Amino acid sequence: MSPIGGNLQAVLRRIETAARAAGRRPDEVRLLAVSKTWPAAAVEEAYRAGQRMFGENQQQEAASKIAALARLALEWHFIGPIQSNKTRPIAEQFAWIHSLDREKVARRLSEQRPVGLEPLMVCIQVNVSGEASKSGVPPHAVEALARRVAALPNLRLRGLMTIPAPSADDERQRAQFRELRALYDALRVQGMSLDTLSMGMSDDLEAAILEGSTLVRVGSAIFGRRARKASAIA
Ligand SMILES: *Cc1c(COP(=O)(O)O)cnc(C)c1O
């Protein structure tokens, strides 16, 4: 087995163990392989090991990989900050966006989603830690944005996403995941049919799964430590 294939198996085992510990079925948690900074060859290696969903956080970097790998049946997820002037290529090239946090961007994505493609699947990014430097809407603004996004014709709101403040304190980390879960449950109680809670990364996927994550976004545990600092992990 290739090194990436071995890492992928190890991550799938971590997901399975965490899900069982939480009394959940392992297939309730999907794995998004975050391939930012890694070349198309690394994505292809993961593909050969069975992985189909890949996450990128920079549009231009992603575009060249998507083009190079167009022959493979991959599902691309955009997870980085979205500049208004980059919405068109994102609307054209991706199946999912996890990092939506502005209505203006949502409207542009819906308008620019090409006719004939499925609606763009969307998660709203929430800034649960309240750090000023972080992207994401504050918790009190989630519901209003969710209603506007749900009304757009070419977007389909699937759920919420967060990147918590890193914390060595496991309880503090879990509290942030729990807050996202509570926001998600509240939207569902109000009748929104959401099915995706995008939370958990290489270092904290177990905590996220215990708190109800349905999709973990994992980069370094699959591909290795990034040489370039993930500039846009905001
Ligand atoms: C880079 C990134 C990840 C993956 O982080 P790892 O710690 O490498 O697993 C997940 N989510 C977002 C939004 C990212 O930018």
Side-chain angles (χ1 to χ4, degrees):
M1 198 187 294
S2 71
I4 287 175
N7 292 343
L8 201 52
Q9 290 309 313
V11 168
L12 290 169
R13 273 196 303 276
R14 281 175 64 191
I15 292 171
E16 182 177 340
T17 304
R20 291 199 194 289
R24 305 177 59 201
R25 290 201 326 268
D27 67 2
E28 291 172 24
V29 185
R30 296 193 296 152
L31 172 60
L32 179 68
V34 176
S35 48
K36 67 186 183 199
T37 77
W38 298 100
V43 174
E44 187 158 2
E45 200 174 317
Y47 170 85
R48 276 191 256 106
Q51 180 65 25
R52 295 294 179 269
M53 292 163 46
F54 293 90
E56 291 282 337
N57 72 341
Q58 289 187 8
Q59 184 274 323
Q60 275 174 324
E61 178 192 338
S64 61
K65 280 180 237 183
I66 293 171
L69 298 168
R71 68 188 185 286
L72 306 180
L74 305 180
E75 185 178 279
W76 292 97
H77 292 228
F78 193 79
I79 61 173
I82 308 169
Q83 296 159 274
S84 304
N85 64 348
K86 292 283 177 59
T87 52
R88 186 175 297 281
I90 291 173
E92 289 172 354
Q93 293 164 349
F94 286 83
W96 280 72
I97 294 185
H98 292 239
S99 42
L100 188 68
D101 63 1
R102 279 183 295 155
E103 187 188 356
K104 178 182 166 202
V105 165
R107 275 192 274 109
R108 290 174 67 100
L109 289 167
S110 183
E111 281 159 19
Q112 293 168 344
R113 182 68 170 170
V115 176
L117 288 188
E118 296 230 306
L120 192 54
M121 305 299 159
V122 169
C123 290
I124 291 174
Q125 183 173 350
V126 186
N127 182 357
V128 290
S129 64
E131 295 162 284
S133 62
K134 277 244 168 90
S135 308
V137 289
H140 69 80
V142 170
E143 186 186 337
L145 181 58
R147 292 201 181 286
R148 301 215 167 89
V149 170
L152 291 169
N154 300 321
L155 303 186
R156 182 168 305 150
L157 183 63
R158 298 289 294 267
L160 303 179
M161 177 275 236
T162 199
I163 308 170
S167 173
D169 175 356
D170 189 51
E171 183 45 40
R172 200 172 159 251
Q173 188 86 358
R174 281 181 62 177
Q176 298 180 69
F177 292 137
R178 215 175 296 135
E179 181 172 358
L180 192 74
R181 166 73 184 270
L183 291 165
Y184 172 80
D185 287 344
L187 295 178
R188 300 218 307 174
V189 163
Q190 290 173 25
M192 293 193 199
S193 57
L194 309 180
D195 63 4
T196 303
L197 203 42
S198 170
M199 57 187 199
M201 318 201 302
S202 292
D203 293 335
D204 59 13
L205 68 88
E206 283 85 0
I209 290 170
L210 276 172
E211 298 300 344
S213 170
T214 70
L215 185 154
V216 291
R217 310 177 308 269
V218 178
S220 44
I222 296 171
F223 295 104
R225 290 281 154 196
R226 289 177 289 276
R228 153 154 78 80
K229 182 81 185 136
S231 55
I233 182 166

